[in-house]
Amino acid sequence: MKTIKIRLLFLSLLFIFSCSSDDDATTPPNPDPDPVVIDNPDQDIDQYLWQALNAAYLYKEDVADLANNRFSSNTELFQFLEDFNSPNETFNALLSKRNLTINGEQFPVDPFSFFISDYTIFEQGQQGISLNNGMEFGLIRVGSTNNVLGYITLVHPGTSAETGGLERGMYFDAIDGAKLTINTDFNAVFAPNSYSLDLVSYNGTDITPLNETVSISKEEYTENPIYESKTIEYQGQKIGYLMYNDFRFPFDEQLNSSFANFSADGITDLVLDLRYNPGGRVSSAIILASLISGQSTDDVFSRELWNPELQAQFEASTPERLVNNFVDQTLDGTPLNTLSLSRVIVLTTDRSASASELVINGLEPYLDVVQIGQTTSGKYQASITLYDSEGFGREGANPDHTIAIQPLVLQSANADGVTDYAAGLFPDIEYTELDRVFSGQNLGQIGDPDEAFLNVALEYIANGNLPSKTKSTLSLGNKIDWDAESNSPTYQKMYLDIEKYKDVFTKNILE
């Protein structure tokens, strides 16, 4: 049994991040004169969940049950928590249900905070380590039928998918012999560590079996987010191309080396391919933006907006911590190989999210950002991993369970104050590779100048040409709204750097 201690945050939290900064002065319920003894492990966890959200949640003001004066005693708080059947239910009940209205359309203010049942697996994923078969794909509905096709977008090197001969642009219609339909439980069929794909060809109308089955299996794999980095000579111009699929600190030095190569090659333009990039670590986003622009370290990349309590405390004590400036070196102290470009071409889809959008928005005040593709996801907030410990940090986490939470704690704004882009960042030039998927055309290989999506950017740079308006009415309507990467720890997330706040957050404990 455990004696409950109410935790008061003054400026508190150790964390692994999601998009920006936080500071807080909360007043939790006054403790009863006598300690309350809890013999329900879930209620003990529920108490931690309430305290963590009360301390740091960005939308705390929206949730009456998180107010500092909501409960007059520990006993009243515990009675409230008893109404929930599980910690996950408790967590979801304490999140904001408010919507934003943008151009007459409703967007939930918080579709991104999430519950972590095993933080050890989550932490590995943040480092790019996961069980992975190496195949990234999307799903489409075939015409007005119930049939569903999978189409491969990327195959990662050194994985089972590569060994099995899978390539970008291939189609499949069955998993372990079972045909995919709109009624398929996609979470279930793609969950096993091993499964087989039935490959087919597709011409936009007819599906033809290839009588070829490929078996793939998930193995522990560390993904390099720099999928392709090269200099392309196109119509007499040297153009840098970077497909960057996640913002991860362990690869910052390699990212810097890529830009050294771009500089040595004398590129005049850069195509930054973020079409499959769901986000990641903020510090890596700042480094990438700095490499592109070469802005002064006095220039503001982004500003952080926390909940009103924490915002007020930061502004009163350390306002400089609310500002993220451009940088001139990596976190390891290596000077950046900046390009100082006046323009960057960015390729996006609806999968481009979070830290990807942070880079686009952060660069907008300083250079010409030409966005080609689809409207981005619309995530302008960052989150932090909060553990069941006295400071909500990883050190000292309760050994009795592996539960943690990843709530939104701040939203970001660029130097011009632009934020709240819940509807996404809109492209300057519309393009979708889904047209080729639906018509059965070759998607092309990543980094090849003839690959259709990249070629739109190259033609724009070289000749100022814009793609013809060929977007089909089926492309978006028949795309299955399910993403195999949605369970990834870095999916549509921004992570905060713990070192930036390590010396700021302290916590008072009331017995």
Side-chain angles (χ1 to χ4, degrees):
M1 294 189 296
K2 298 184 177 179
T3 300
I4 292 302
K5 297 179 180 179
I6 286 295
R7 298 166 182 164
L8 170 72
L9 228 93
F10 176 109
L11 276 168
S12 89
L13 301 93
L14 286 177
F15 40 114
I16 305 177
F17 120 91
S18 176
C19 189
S20 273
S21 50
D22 161 296
D23 172 276
D24 131 9
T26 62
T27 307
N30 296 322
D32 290 331
D34 298 320
V36 178
V37 178
I38 299 297
D39 58 6
N40 182 340
D42 279 357
Q43 193 174 48
D44 192 27
I45 294 171
D46 286 346
Q47 183 213 13
Y48 134 68
L49 297 175
W50 185 90
Q51 291 171 334
L53 291 170
N54 169 267
Y57 187 39
L58 175 60
Y59 301 113
K60 174 182 174 179
E61 284 199 330
D62 293 348
V63 185
D65 289 327
L66 288 177
N68 296 340
N69 60 358
R70 169 65 176 85
F71 304 103
S72 61
S73 67
N74 287 353
T75 300
E76 190 176 336
L77 170 62
F78 300 149
Q79 289 172 344
F80 166 77
L81 296 174
E82 283 178 349
D83 290 338
F84 300 104
N85 296 318
S86 68
N88 196 357
E89 181 181 321
T90 304
F91 174 74
N92 289 319
L94 294 173
L95 298 181
S96 173
K97 307 303 186 293
R98 178 166 58 91
N99 289 328
L100 290 176
T101 301
I102 300 177
N103 296 327
E105 189 173 353
Q106 295 284 306
F107 296 89
V109 73
D110 183 9
F112 300 110
S113 294
F114 64 95
F115 182 87
I116 302 168
S117 59
D118 189 337
Y119 58 70
T120 59
I121 296 174
F122 176 77
E123 290 165 349
Q124 288 182 328
Q126 286 182 317
Q127 299 300 314
I129 303 170
S130 64
L131 285 177
N132 197 322
N133 58 32
M135 178 183 73
E136 293 192 26
F137 63 95
L139 299 171
I140 60 170
R141 182 175 182 172
V142 181
S144 59
T145 73
N146 289 334
N147 298 325
V148 168
L149 284 179
Y151 61 97
I152 299 174
T153 55
L154 290 180
V155 174
H156 292 283
T159 63
S160 175
E162 183 186 54
T163 302
L166 296 181
E167 295 181 357
R168 171 175 160 83
M170 287 182 170
Y171 294 90
F172 58 91
D173 72 342
I175 299 296
D176 289 334
K179 296 293 185 182
L180 298 175
T181 74
I182 59 172
N183 298 315
T184 297
D185 183 345
F186 302 117
N187 287 323
V189 298
F190 292 107
N193 286 339
S194 298
Y195 52 79
S196 63
L197 311 172
D198 289 354
L199 300 182
V200 299
S201 65
Y202 181 60
N203 62 9
T205 305
D206 301 317
I207 300 172
T208 304
L210 296 178
N211 298 319
E212 183 178 354
T213 299
V214 177
S215 296
I216 56 177
S217 58
K218 299 174 185 177
E219 300 173 349
E220 187 172 287
Y221 180 71
T222 301
E223 179 189 342
N224 187 338
I226 305 170
Y227 190 86
E228 183 69 86
S229 176
K230 64 191 299 186
T231 296
I232 298 171
E233 294 198 18
Y234 190 80
Q235 298 186 15
Q237 293 185 236
K238 291 185 176 181
I239 301 169
Y241 173 72
L242 174 68
M243 173 172 268
Y244 188 59
N245 290 334
D246 213 310
F247 293 83
R248 294 193 183 123
F249 162 72
F251 297 92
D252 287 349
E253 295 293 341
Q254 290 187 39
L255 185 63
N256 195 29
S257 295
S258 292
F259 277 76
N261 294 333
F262 290 148
S263 180
D265 290 342
I267 68 168
T268 57
D269 280 277
L270 175 68
V271 178
L272 175 61
D273 194 340
L274 301 177
R275 71 180 93 169
Y276 306 131
N277 190 320
R281 185 165 172 159
V282 167
S283 63
S284 295
I286 297 173
I287 287 172
L288 176 58
S290 300
L291 284 165
I292 293 169
S293 68
Q295 292 301 128
S296 165
T297 56
D298 293 329
D299 290 331
V300 174
F301 172 71
S302 67
R303 300 182 189 277
E304 300 174 353
L305 306 172
W306 297 74
N307 72 41
E309 289 179 12
L310 301 181
Q311 190 75 11
Q313 288 188 11
F314 269 115
E315 290 175 353
S317 59
T318 53
E320 67 278 3
R321 291 181 181 269
L322 296 172
V323 178
N324 295 306
N325 289 343
F326 287 85
V327 297
D328 58 8
Q329 61 184 19
T330 68
L331 295 183
D332 292 334
T334 305
L336 293 186
N337 301 300
T338 56
L339 295 179
S340 299
L341 296 174
S342 60
R343 178 179 70 174
V344 62
I345 313 298
V346 186
L347 308 186
T348 65
T349 67
D350 57 357
R351 285 190 58 189
S352 307
S354 200
S356 288
E357 295 168 298
L358 182 67
V359 168
I360 296 170
N361 194 47
L363 286 175
E364 283 282 2
Y366 301 101
L367 64 159
D368 184 13
V369 180
V370 181
Q371 184 182 336
I372 299 176
Q374 295 171 263
T375 302
T376 61
S377 175
K379 183 173 184 293
Y380 52 92
Q381 311 105 321
S383 62
I384 290 173
T385 309
L386 301 181
Y387 299 85
D388 186 5
S389 69
E390 291 190 356
F392 304 121
R394 179 65 170 85
E395 185 177 355
N398 190 333
D400 294 338
H401 65 84
T402 58
I403 288 172
I405 57 174
Q406 192 82 15
L408 296 179
V409 297
L410 65 86
Q411 65 184 74
S412 64
N414 68 13
D416 292 337
V418 177
T419 185
D420 288 343
Y421 42 86
L425 300 175
F426 300 98
D428 301 288
I429 302 170
E430 285 193 343
Y431 180 81
T432 171
E433 63 186 1
L434 283 171
D435 285 325
R436 303 184 74 83
V437 172
F438 275 97
S439 61
Q441 299 179 68
N442 191 339
L443 277 182
Q445 297 307 304
I446 297 299
D448 186 330
D450 291 329
E451 190 262 323
F453 206 156
L454 172 56
N455 191 257
V456 173
L458 297 178
E459 276 294 307
Y460 175 77
I461 292 169
N463 304 307
N465 293 339
L466 300 180
S468 58
K469 295 291 184 179
T470 60
K471 186 165 64 175
S472 71
T473 57
L474 288 177
S475 290
L476 299 181
N478 270 26
K479 177 176 178 286
I480 301 296
D481 189 19
W482 179 85
D483 193 336
E485 301 298 309
S486 61
N487 291 323
S488 166
T490 55
Y491 183 75
Q492 296 187 343
K493 300 169 182 66
M494 288 187 282
Y495 299 93
L496 195 60
D497 302 327
I498 187 172
E499 292 301 322
K500 182 176 180 180
Y501 303 96
K502 192 173 182 179
D503 63 328
V504 175
F505 297 110
T506 60
K507 179 164 57 176
N508 296 322
I509 306 294
L510 298 182
E511 301 294 342

